[in-house]
Structures are given as structure tokens and as C-alpha cells.
Amino acid sequence: MNALGWINLALYMGLLLAAAWPLSRWLTAVAQGRLPRWMQAVESAFYKLAGVKAEEGMHWKRYALGLLLFNFIGVLAAYGLQRFQDVLPLNPQGFGAVTPDSAFNTAISFVTNTNWQGYGGESTMSYLTQMLALTVQNFVSAATGIAVVFALIRGFAAKSSQSIGNFWADLTRITLWILLPLSLVFALFFVSQGVIQNFDAYKDATTLELNAYQAPKLGADGQPLKDEKGQVLTEDATSATQQLAMGPVASQEAIKLLGTNGGGFFNANSAHPYENPTPLANLAQILAIFLIPAALCFSFGQMVGDSRQGVTILAAMSLMFIVGVIAATSAEQAGNPSLNALGVDQQMSEAQAGGNMEGKETRFGINATSIFMVVTTGASCGAVNAMHDSMTPLGGMVPLVMMQLGEVVFGGVGTGLYGMLIFAMLAVFIAGLMIGRTPEYLGKKVESYEMKMVSIAILVTPMVVLIGTAIAVVAADGKAGVANPGAHGFSEILYALTSAGNNNGSAFAGLSANTPFYNTLLGIVMWLGRFGVIVPVLAIAGSLGAKKRIPVGAGTLPTHGPLFVGLLVGVVLLVGLLNYVPSLALGPIVEHLMLWTA
């Protein structure tokens, strides 16, 4: 990695920590309900309208039931808005109803905080659908993740209680007092940088020369026609104008990043100049993705009464993140050796002088693109400012590995921290076996019940990802969507299932996934990957909350400091990644060997 890359990385980490620390104090206050009276009055109005008793604590089963029902209703609402958007207002382009399989996939995608998009937003979704079906879910899905980690932290912090909080109160407070204010600030900043925010119809701009292109063939219903393999049929077309999409972009852009959602208003996501117009906007975007996850680490230490615990978790995340950035940047700066044989670049004998710029925006370059790539896949965000399918084999493997670790390298809002705490419990359990003592973490014994739930939470995602990948590579409909044969095609499928199972949403764009097969398969994987982890985490929260705290003894493993950071990182790498090593060997690793030995 060159000097500019190190400077960019150091600047980013410095700004992130400087912004996360003060925000953490507010997150702690919101989690504990220590709010000004006027905020409490606003909340009370909502609770009275909904018939909610906010002061009433919930057992973990009741908390989980409320969470699951709320999110299931969200799926129905998002699905319905897509299916009826052709007869609903705020549809200046007259888009037709979204197909049933795509609507199913998108509804689950946004409710689970995945935001996988098999469609082009500016050519598929009306303004109303973008706002009510997608942006609303960006807020409440993010609030759901934060609510779960608040419940888990209460389980650690409680002396002995059957309650882990009130889901409706958590959801309301997180949305009103954390996500909405931050989104407003970031949305206004993005507008100042050139991100659009309007309800105008699309604009036609006259081009300097006649454009020849391939346009999709449309059926009688106005939707693109597809062949038997699910590929969109095209025909020759020319135009003297270029259509510029409009819409309420900045408002969705802010929460897609702050909530680690990732769904873009435009098909090109944060590579589009209307979503991410300047290098300064790009810096703000990658800061927004990690801002709340980093602040939650500090809040964790504050809520359990030992700030060192939060710093330790943050240090483990930062270490893995920095290694990921170094690996991705170095791989992309090495370039593509095949170009050397063609005599494309004679300035350097072993690598491209400018590195691998395929699929990247020149206004960002390799360094800023690599940081964005690792940030968005370390978090469960999925926003992209470049095409991951165009990365070098090892460069593309880095975001794949970041997701396969369980997205605990900062991770999504809430999901990253509770995922890392699950690994921390496993780490103290392993350490306890080594010294022959009952493991304990933060004064709570980690016993058989907790370890069963930890095992489920850790294994459910690799299971659905690998089983889903196996189904896709043997099914005719699964192979039909692959544009590139061989190892890279396998990587495209593996990336799609990994992204869905870990609720990320980014993609190797070479896979045509907007088909009934992939929309259904990925929808199921997204749902299981989200709630198959949340329910065991809430069960752990309830079990820990009911236990009495035990004093620190001579045999207690210190869960802060460099030793525990090393143990925690080792457990994440060993347990989180080991499940995927054979699949990585079949995809990006063999592709790298083929590329560099050719």
C-alpha cells in the first residue's frame, strides 16, 4: 500500500473515533431512557396512540415475538406498495407494478437490513415506493438491530432481572432520537455536495453526438422481456438525448449509510454522481457507515460499567479492518498481470502503473475505493462506490471474507456488536476449558444453555449460505444467471449467497439474479440469516439477565487488554472463517493462481 493509502486510512480512523466517542454518550442515554422531558412527552404521545406501556419490561420471548411480528408486517407493507405502485401517486414515470418474485425479494431484503437489489431503482421503483416501502424500512430495520444489542447489553449489565427492556420503547427512541436527527444532518450535507432531492419528472438532456445502445425489449405491460435463461432481451436503438433520473435521493442516501442498509436510489448506488458526487461526500459516506457501530462499542463499555470492555471490542474490530484495507488496497494497486502481456502499460515491468482501475470511479481512485469496499462489507451495508465484480481475485476476496467473518468488523448497526459479543462469549468459553474453570464474561457465567445459543447464532449463517450456494451451482436456473464461467462464476454465486445470508446486500454484478429462482432463494436466505441469529441472541440476553453477577476472582480471565484482543481475533478467524475455506479455494483463490501463473 502506498503512502497516500496509509494517509487515507489514518485520516479515516482518526475522524471515525473522534466522532464516535461523543455520539456514544447519547446512545447510552437513549438506551437507558435518560432523556429530556420534552422528548419523553413526545414519546408518550406515540405510546398512548399505540396503546403501549413503555415502562413495562419484557421477557426475552415476548421481546422476540414483538420484533418478529413487527418485521413480518413490514414485509407485507413493502410487498403491497411495490405490487400496487402503478395505481398509487408519486409515480411521474408511470412505472408498472413490480413482479411478484422481485417484490417478495425486495420486501424481505429491506426488512432484514440487507437491501439486496436485483433491479435498477431508477427504472423500477416509483418515488412513493422508494420512500414508503424502502426508506421507511431503512429506518426501522436499523432500529431493530440496535434494539437487539441494547437488549443483550442489558442482559450483561443486569444484576438479576427477567426483563431485557421494551421492544416498542427501544424502537421508538432509536428511530426518533438517533436515526432521524443524524439522517437529517447527513442529508443536508449531501445536498450541499450535489446529491439531488426533488419530486421532478426525469429530465432529457441533448447530447453532443448520436448515441447507439442496446435497449431492453418491452412487453405489452411495459416490463422487459426475458429469454428462457432469465436474461433480458435487447434490441438496437439510438438517441440524441440522455435521460437524467430525478427523485428524493439525499433523504434515502443518509439513512442507507447510517443504518448500514446500503440500498441505492440508483442502480449504480454510490458510484452514481447523484448519490456520491465528490471525494468529500465519499469520505462522509464511509464515515457514516461505521459511525454508529463504532459508537456502540463505547456505549457497551459505559453500560456495563467498564469502559475498557468497549475499547477492547473496538480494538479487535479495528485490527481486522486495517488488515482488510491493506490487503484490498495492495491487491488492487498490483493490477492485472494479463495486461502486461498485451503491452498495454510499459511503464512498469510487473504491474500496471495506475493499478487496477477497472470498475472504479476516477474521482475516487484505488485508495478511497478500497476503504469503501472494506467498510461496506465489514458492516452489513452493501453500498458500493465501485463494481466489486471488477476487482482482482484477491481484491474481491477481501469483501467476501469480511462478510464471511459474520460481519463483526464493526458490522451493521447493532448486529456487528452483538455478533462480536457472541464470539467473545465463545472465546471465554474456550479459555475456560483450557484452565479448567467455568467460563464467565462480565460477571455472568457462560454455561451450557448460553453455549447452545452461541453455537446456533454462529452456525446458522454459514449453513444457509453454503447450502444455498450448493443449490445454486447444481440447479439449471442457478447456473443460467452466471455471465462468467469457471472460478469467477462460482465466486459470483458464492458472493451473492454470502451477501444475502449475512444481510449485506452488495454483489458481484456479473450474476443475473433478478429471476424467480434467485429472488426466492435469496429471500429465504436473507430471512434466516437475519432472524436465525437475532432469536438466539435475545435468548442469551434473557438468560444472562436472570443470572446474578459474580465477583471477579483469581481465576477470572481478564476480558480487556491486548491478550484478550488477540484471543478474540483468533476465535473470529478460526471459527468464523474456517467454514468457508473450501469454497474460497474453489473461487477467488484458484482464480488468483490462474491469473498470475498464466
Side-chain angles (χ1 to χ4, degrees), residues 229-231 475-484 492-493 509-513 515 517-518:
K229 295 183 178 181
Q231 305 291 330
D477 290 338
K479 291 182 289 187
V482 177
N484 303 284
E492 290 174 347
I493 295 176
L511 180 69
S512 298
T515 63
F517 173 82
Y518 275 112

Side-chain angles (χ1 to χ4, degrees), residues 324 327-332 373-374 388 391-400 508 588 592:
T329 306
S330 300
E332 293 307 301
M373 177 174 65
V374 179
H388 293 185
M391 303 298 172
T392 61
L394 292 187
M397 188 176 76
V398 173
L400 189 56
F508 267 19
H592 171 78

Side-chain angles (χ1 to χ4, degrees), residues 384-396:
V384 294
N385 72 345
M387 298 301 103
H388 293 185
D389 198 39
S390 296
M391 303 298 172
T392 61
L394 292 187

Side-chain angles (χ1 to χ4, degrees), residues 58 178 182 248 258 317 374 377 492 499 505:
M58 292 181 173
I178 297 175
L182 286 174
L258 287 164
M317 292 177 173
V374 179
T377 50
E492 290 174 347
S499 178

Side-chain angles (χ1 to χ4, degrees), residues 377-557:
T377 50
S380 63
C381 186
V384 294
N385 72 345
M387 298 301 103
H388 293 185
D389 198 39
S390 296
M391 303 298 172
T392 61
L394 292 187
M397 188 176 76
V398 173
L400 189 56
V401 168
M402 284 290 160
M403 292 186 291
Q404 291 174 346
L405 290 176
E407 290 190 324
V408 295
V409 182
F410 289 91
V413 285
T415 62
L417 181 55
Y418 69 62
M420 186 61 92
L421 292 177
I422 291 297
F423 278 112
M425 295 176 66
L426 180 59
V428 297
F429 178 79
I430 293 173
L433 293 179
M434 292 179 180
I435 61 176
R437 285 180 57 91
T438 301
E440 57 188 75
Y441 187 48
L442 304 180
K444 298 297 179 79
K445 288 186 176 182
V446 180
E447 299 175 300
S448 61
Y449 178 80
E450 287 79 25
M451 288 313 303
K452 291 176 183 177
M453 295 298 105
V454 165
S455 299
I456 293 174
I458 289 176
L459 294 176
V460 65
T461 302
M463 285 181 61
V464 297
V465 168
L466 295 175
I467 291 173
T469 302
I471 293 172
V473 296
V474 299
D477 290 338
K479 291 182 289 187
V482 177
N484 303 284
H488 191 77
F490 176 80
S491 295
E492 290 174 347
I493 295 176
L494 177 64
Y495 195 105
L497 272 298
T498 300
S499 178
N502 288 278
N503 303 127
N504 183 269
S506 65
F508 267 19
L511 180 69
S512 298
N514 192 15
T515 63
F517 173 82
Y518 275 112
N519 282 333
T520 303
L521 176 63
L522 295 176
I524 295 171
V525 169
M526 286 185 281
W527 185 266
L528 294 176
R530 174 73 162 181
F531 299 106
V533 176
I534 281 180
V535 173
V537 168
L538 291 176
I540 292 170
S543 176
L544 294 175
K547 293 184 177 183
K548 294 182 179 180
R549 297 181 68 89
I550 57 177
V552 176
T556 300
L557 173 71

Side-chain angles (χ1 to χ4, degrees), residues 15-27:
L15 291 173
L16 176 65
L17 297 178
W21 170 251
L23 178 60
S24 70
R25 311 295 293 185
W26 179 241
L27 294 178

